[in-house]
Amino acid sequence: MTNRLLGAATLVVALMLLVGSTTIAAPKPAPVDGRTVIARVMRATGHVAKVQVAFDAKDWNLMRFYADEYIGMMRTVTVHVKDLSARGEEAAPAYDAVQQTSLKHLSTFKKLEARPSTKEAKASLALAIDAGQKAHDAASQAIAKTLGR
């Protein structure tokens, strides 16, 4: 009985050390730079194309899936732009890329939203438009801050 208790206690301590050491050794995420922001907004462009293809095929579930992916990407882009701007980093090319690309995204989504579809599809497109608009607004504010306006 004592050996079992001692073995169990040893196992618990070993597991605690293993979990604790991986938590302590976990690397901190690298700070986001302008290139990362540009890469993310370009990946989001790919999702806009996928939304458009799914919409044309009237595959509403797939369209909503890609719209949700786009929304998540653009929310991340918005956070990164605001973070870069708050840190005072000079990332004008990234801000310009987000501003110009999000305008193209918004145009595409608004064209799709005007076409006949289901209510759920229109709701997904409205959320995607909102996410793109927020990224555009964040980039516009960062550009204005950079220019000192």
Side-chain angles (χ1 to χ4, degrees):
M1 182 73 169
T2 309
N3 287 339
R4 286 186 188 171
L5 185 58
L6 185 59
T10 304
L11 188 61
V12 168
V13 169
L15 285 172
M16 287 174 48
L17 288 173
L18 178 66
V19 171
S21 67
T22 57
T23 306
I24 292 169
K28 292 183 179 180
V32 176
D33 62 355
R35 282 189 252 156
T36 304
V37 173
I38 293 171
R40 289 181 195 256
V41 80
M42 292 305 148
R43 268 191 292 178
T45 301
H47 277 68
V48 172
K50 291 175 184 177
V51 167
Q52 191 168 14
V53 169
F55 187 95
D56 290 341
K58 294 184 179 7
D59 188 344
W60 308 124
N61 289 330
L62 188 60
M63 192 230 48
R64 279 194 303 272
F65 172 78
Y66 286 126
D68 289 344
E69 291 286 315
Y70 171 82
I71 291 164
M73 288 179 173
M74 292 310 283
R75 286 180 178 163
T76 302
V77 166
T78 303
V79 168
H80 291 328
V81 166
K82 288 181 178 180
D83 182 49
L84 284 172
S85 181
R87 290 189 314 208
E89 296 214 12
E90 187 60 38
Y95 304 149
D96 289 338
V98 172
Q99 186 183 43
Q100 293 172 10
T101 306
S102 61
L103 274 179
K104 292 176 186 175
H105 297 171
L106 291 170
S107 172
T108 301
F109 287 139
K110 287 178 182 179
K111 286 178 186 175
L112 292 177
E113 189 181 41
R115 292 173 48 192
S117 65
T118 65
K119 288 182 183 180
E120 293 84 13
K122 287 194 183 288
S124 291
L125 289 170
L127 290 173
I129 289 169
D130 183 57
Q133 186 65 52
K134 286 181 179 174
H136 178 74
D137 293 345
S140 297
Q141 290 172 359
I143 289 170
K145 182 178 177 182
T146 300
L147 297 175
R149 291 185 212 163

